Structures are given as structure tokens and as C-alpha cells.
Amino acid sequence: FQEIRTMQDMTLALFGATGDLAKRKLYPALYNLYLDGRLPENISIIGLGRTKLSDEVFQGKVRESLHDYSRRNVRASRLEDFLEKFRYCVFDATADDSYQNLLEMIESREEELGIPQNRMFYLSVAPGLVDLITSNLNSSGICKNNGWKRLIIEKPFGSNLETARQLNNNLSKTFSEDEIYRIDHYLGKPMVQNLKTLILANPVLESLLDHNQIANVQITASETVGVEGRSDYYDKSGAIRDMVQNHLLQVLMMTAVYLPEKIMDNKTRAKKTEILDSLRPIRKENAYQNIVRGQYEAGELQDTPVIGYREEPGIDPASANDTYFAARLFIDHPSWEGIPFYIRTGKRMDQKSTQILIEFKNKITDTEVLEGISPNLLVLEISPNENISMRMNMKDPSSNRFKPAWINFSTNAENHPEAYELLLHDAMLGNSTFFAHWKEVELSWKWIDPLLEAYQQELLPLYFYPAGSTGPEAADLLLEKDQHKWW
Ligand code: BG6
């Protein structure tokens, strides 16, 4: 079920080396891979940024980020050897000589370390620079190497179907599809990756997850944070572009692909595309029947008052942007025929929780037994904890009534590899199973586009919810029409 690949020596050129993502996620991920012996034996890491820095100062910044964000303590004995892999190249994306300097630095380090011309480019830069950098990587000769080349890019991948297609066309002038690794960090979350092994390792689940037994599937990604100083980006993007087009649809695909059957790695992407292709389109005219969009107002979060979205610094006081999104979906595919999928995400909700919940049909008809019985549930908690639990009904001997009882398997997620660690490692190995293929991105925008039009044409009302709540009431009504409820 997993192809065996070998790690090869390489160069990693990191664009956006002084940025937030590098500091919080990428350096700690590289360090933890290093401690686990999962980096290539010889790797040249070149950080690129606009600020002028010496190698020593840059290495100091990397060291600082490890102290602040690494999941494991920094071990002095190994640190210097790790930092020695890093060099810095001052870089202006618009200047030709920046690319020449980069090429020289890559080549001189390749020679110094005796490594092949395997080159990986990680773009953690403003979306407007992606085209420019990739086309210059081509014209400067950096990509005319005698080895493999790979491009890792962060979201957003376009802002609608048209811009996503343009971006993809431009990228494909320099990189082929199998050289492009589109990161969606939800695909790196251990529980999402574990969906694959769930059925494989637990044959009993196969009969349980039969499509005749399932009443509905609920995917939730609720957050307590607000816009976190990203007002410029978020007010244009909203929950639909920030969380739904990518993370939620990816988790939906992974759930729909892996729960019904065992899948080989090399079939995953084709299966995901099949699922997304079967996602029933929602036309803009009747989007209001299946979609709820919301925005948080002032409220209270863990007993602390918080301001409303429109009062957040940098947000238009009349903004009609969504900070909450819920949808009722159907996948017209034999494995999922007739089973509703409910998905939701929101900022400033009552709790941070990402989970997949499967509600089973309640087939008990005997009214005597029925009292106190509630549906069996299987909950796969993705974060903050990694947890699998199953809700059963047990008779409480003292009251002689049925009560729900949870069977729980949880692991301490504290010291698990983080999403970026797993994904960087996969990309280094050349395994793109847990990256978003262009087909998936294209189909997801195709599904989202009519909803964006519905937004623009004001065909979808914006519901308000108080910060610290579970979202707008309208989202509850969405499920009530199927006699279901959010758990
Ligand atoms: C990011 C979004 O992709 O995912 C953020 O841009 C969001 O707005 C974040 O907060 C959520 O990720 P996680 O891993 O905390 O669930």
C-alpha cells in the first residue's frame, strides 16, 4: 500500500525564508526531521529573502525559531551541525541578478557538498510573486539542471476557477504536474493521513462503514481565533476560500475515498478526483437551500469579551465577508449515494475542534427499547487531539435506562510529527499522495465558483452569530430538514 522510495541528496531553496511560515513551521519541521534522521544525508538549504542578512545572522534566526516553535527541545550537541546546512541569499524577485546569484550559490554548494543537481523550490511568498519567480527560475537556467526538480507551493491556488487555471498554465511552463507539490496542511495532519490505515488495520470497520449503515457524515473545522492581523487577506478571501475550497473539501475527499475501501497509494489521487467529480453541483439560484454563510458579531469567548468581525482592525465596517460556512452536500457516487455530508467551519466559535463524525442509522423500531437510545457515532478527532471514539448505548443498571457510553482511543498528540514535517518529508522523497493534484484543485474551484457568484449577486443571506457560539442558527435548520442535527 505504500511505495518504497529512497531519499536523495538535494538542494532546498526556500523563498520567503524570513517569513512567518518559515519561522513557525518550516524550520522546526526540518529540525525534527533532522533529529529523526529523515533528512537527506547531504542537504543544502538556501534561504531567500529581501532583507540583507549574513549567513550567520540567518542561522541565528533559524536557531531562534527552533527555540520558540520546535515541538522538541533544541539539543545543543546537534544544533550546529543542523545550522551548518543553511545559507542565505538576498533576493529580489524582480531583479535578474538575484536569480544569477541564486544559481551561483546553488552550484557552489552542490560542488562543495558533492551533491547531485536535485533541486527543490519552496515558495512561501505573496501569491502575486509565484508566476514571476517560477518563470525566472526557468529563464535563468536554475531549472535546467541535471537532476530532478520540484516545486512546493502554498495556498491560495488562485481565487476562483479562472485565476487558478491561469496560475496552473503558467506554472506548467516550468514544471510538469508530477513536479508540483501543492501543500494543503490538512493533508499532513496525522489523523487525516491515518484514514488510509483505519480500514486496513481494522477489518471490522469495513462492515460498519457500509453505506447502508451510515445516516450522515459531518466534517467540522471550528476555530476560536479571529482574523489574527490578516485582515487584508481574509476580508477578500473569507471562510469559503480560506478553509472550504482547500481544507474542508480535501478532508471530504479523504473521508469519502478511504472509509469505504482499501486504497493503494498510487490510486488515491484518481479516487479523490472521482469523488470530487461526483460532488453534486449547487446552482447559485438554490444555493440558499444548501449553504449557510455567517459572520461573527461581538460576543464572549471563555468569559472574555471579544469584538465583532466588522470592528476588527483593518476590516471594512460594512464588510459582508463570511467568517462561517456550512453546507449540505451529496456525492453522487455508488459508495455514498443518498448519504448527506454536512461540512462547516467558522472563526470565533466556542471551541477549536477539527473532526469527522459518522452518524449511523438508528434501526431500532421497538418502542420499549427506543427510550433513551441515541444513534451510534464514530468520531475521528483530527485536532487539537488525535482521537477515535465510538458512541454506544448501554443500560445503566441503577436507573434501568439507556445512556450513551463512549469507547475511546486517544493518543497524546503533543509529540507527534506535525503536518509540515510529514509533508516536507514526502516531497523530499517524491511522494505526492498527500498533496493536492491540479485536477482536485480545478474541480474544487468548479464547485465553488457558482457559490462565489451567489455571494456577489446577493443570493445568499449573511447570517450573524455571536463570537463564542456554535455559529448561526440557520446552520441548524440546514440539517433539520433531513431530521438530523450537528453533534
Ligand atoms: C489556514 C487558514 O490555512 O488554516 C487559517 O489560512 C486557519 O485561517 C488555519 O486558521 C487553520 O489551521 P489549523 O491547522 O489550525 O486547523
Side-chain angles (χ1 to χ4, degrees), residues 25 154-155 184-186 189 221-223 225-228 230 233-234 237-238 241-243 246-247 345 347 352-354 382-383 419-420:
K25 300 287 181 191
E154 284 288 332
K155 69 165 218 217
D184 185 311
H185 79 282
Y186 270 53
K189 294 192 183 262
S222 73
E223 300 186 85
V225 293
V227 270
E228 294 184 295
R230 298 190 303 157
Y233 153 77
Y234 195 83
S237 135
R241 291 187 175 94
D242 186 50
M243 291 291 291
N246 34 61
H247 306 325
T345 181
K347 294 228 182 263
K352 168 81 184 162
S353 167
T354 311
I382 297 166
S383 75
Y420 275 96

Side-chain angles (χ1 to χ4, degrees), residues 39-303:
L39 278 189
E41 203 172 323
N42 296 296
I43 181 167
S44 147
I45 305 173
I46 300 180
L48 297 115
R50 277 203 306 212
T51 324
K52 215 168 168 206
L53 300 176
S54 66
D55 289 338
E56 290 69 31
V57 173
F58 174 54
Q59 290 171 354
K61 285 187 178 294
V62 176
R63 180 189 292 119
E64 223 172 90
S65 99
L66 304 184
H67 282 293
D68 292 346
Y69 300 107
S70 168
R71 68 182 166 88
R72 281 195 290 223
N73 289 339
V74 178
R75 291 165 53 185
S77 58
R78 312 282 312 274
L79 187 61
E80 293 315 311
D81 181 47
F82 174 71
L83 293 176
E84 176 35 40
K85 300 175 185 308
F86 288 79
R87 294 291 182 276
Y88 186 77
C89 182
V90 62
F91 179 76
D92 170 359
T94 60
D96 287 347
D97 56 355
S98 273
Y99 297 89
Q100 283 318 310
N101 290 344
L102 173 60
L103 178 58
E104 277 164 30
M105 187 177 271
I106 291 177
E107 285 177 343
S108 95
R109 288 288 285 160
E110 281 169 351
E111 205 173 311
E112 193 183 336
L113 298 170
I115 59 180
Q117 294 186 346
N118 295 328
R119 296 174 184 170
M120 186 150 129
F121 308 96
Y122 196 127
L123 300 197
S124 167
V125 295
L129 292 178
V130 171
D131 273 354
L132 182 69
I133 295 178
T134 44
S135 68
N136 276 308
L137 286 176
N138 198 2
S139 56
S140 62
I142 297 176
C143 280
K144 306 219 165 56
N145 50 329
N146 202 352
W148 53 250
K149 63 180 191 303
R150 290 176 198 148
L151 175 74
I152 306 185
I153 49 171
E154 284 288 332
K155 69 165 218 217
F157 201 90
S159 55
N160 56 23
L161 181 59
E162 191 191 336
T163 51
R165 277 186 175 149
Q166 272 164 11
L167 174 59
N168 202 56
N169 284 342
N170 292 344
L171 294 186
S172 58
K173 289 178 191 146
T174 309
F175 296 93
S176 63
E177 177 59 29
D178 62 2
E179 291 172 334
I180 303 177
Y181 292 71
R182 297 176 196 82
I183 285 238
D184 185 311
H185 79 282
Y186 270 53
L187 288 178
K189 294 192 183 262
M191 185 56 89
V192 176
Q193 298 206 344
N194 275 341
L195 287 172
K196 175 175 113 171
T197 43
L198 202 64
I199 289 276
L200 196 68
N202 300 290
V204 67
L205 287 182
E206 215 166 330
S207 46
L208 208 61
L209 292 170
D210 176 87
H211 115 276
N212 293 313
Q213 310 279 358
I214 299 177
N216 68 74
V217 179
Q218 305 185 8
I219 298 173
T220 300
S222 73
E223 300 186 85
T224 50
V225 293
V227 270
E228 294 184 295
R230 298 190 303 157
S231 52
D232 228 22
Y233 153 77
Y234 195 83
D235 208 32
K236 289 188 201 86
S237 135
I240 191 168
R241 291 187 175 94
D242 186 50
M243 291 291 291
V244 182
Q245 178 269 331
N246 34 61
H247 306 325
L248 282 197
L249 288 184
Q250 281 293 344
V251 176
L252 175 130
M253 281 183 265
M254 295 291 280
T255 308
V257 162
Y258 282 123
L259 291 196
E261 56 180 327
K262 301 180 192 117
I263 302 281
M264 307 275 287
D265 268 2
N266 59 2
K267 299 272 185 332
T268 303
R269 284 176 143 191
K271 276 275 174 194
K272 283 172 74 185
T273 309
E274 201 178 301
I275 289 292
L276 208 49
D277 214 10
S278 320
L279 187 60
R280 195 179 296 168
I282 296 184
R283 290 191 307 134
K284 63 178 178 189
E285 293 78 13
N286 50 18
Y288 70 95
Q289 293 171 331
N290 296 297
I291 305 286
V292 169
R293 58 190 300 256
Q295 187 187 86
Y296 65 83
E297 292 180 312
E300 242 184 43
L301 199 68
Q302 282 129 23
D303 298 329

Side-chain angles (χ1 to χ4, degrees), residues 408-441:
N408 213 350
F409 169 72
S410 58
T411 58
N412 177 5
E414 233 164 64
N415 222 353
H416 284 181
E418 287 199 36
Y420 275 96
E421 231 168 295
L422 297 172
L423 293 173
L424 263 172
H425 184 252
D426 277 357
M428 287 175 172
L429 277 176
N431 180 0
S432 52
T433 311
F434 294 120
F435 290 83
H437 190 274
W438 164 240
K439 265 279 153 238
E440 297 160 25
V441 176

Side-chain angles (χ1 to χ4, degrees), residues 224-226 293-301 304-312 315 317 319 321-324 346-350 462-473:
T224 50
V225 293
R293 58 190 300 256
Q295 187 187 86
Y296 65 83
E297 292 180 312
E300 242 184 43
L301 199 68
T304 312
V306 287
I307 54 173
Y309 179 70
R310 290 177 176 178
E311 285 102 57
E312 297 273 10
I315 299 293
S319 171
N321 190 31
D322 51 319
T323 60
Y324 178 96
K347 294 228 182 263
R348 285 284 189 236
M349 307 270 284
D350 61 336
L462 182 68
Y463 296 96
F464 293 92
Y465 60 100
S469 70
T470 54
E473 255 178 58

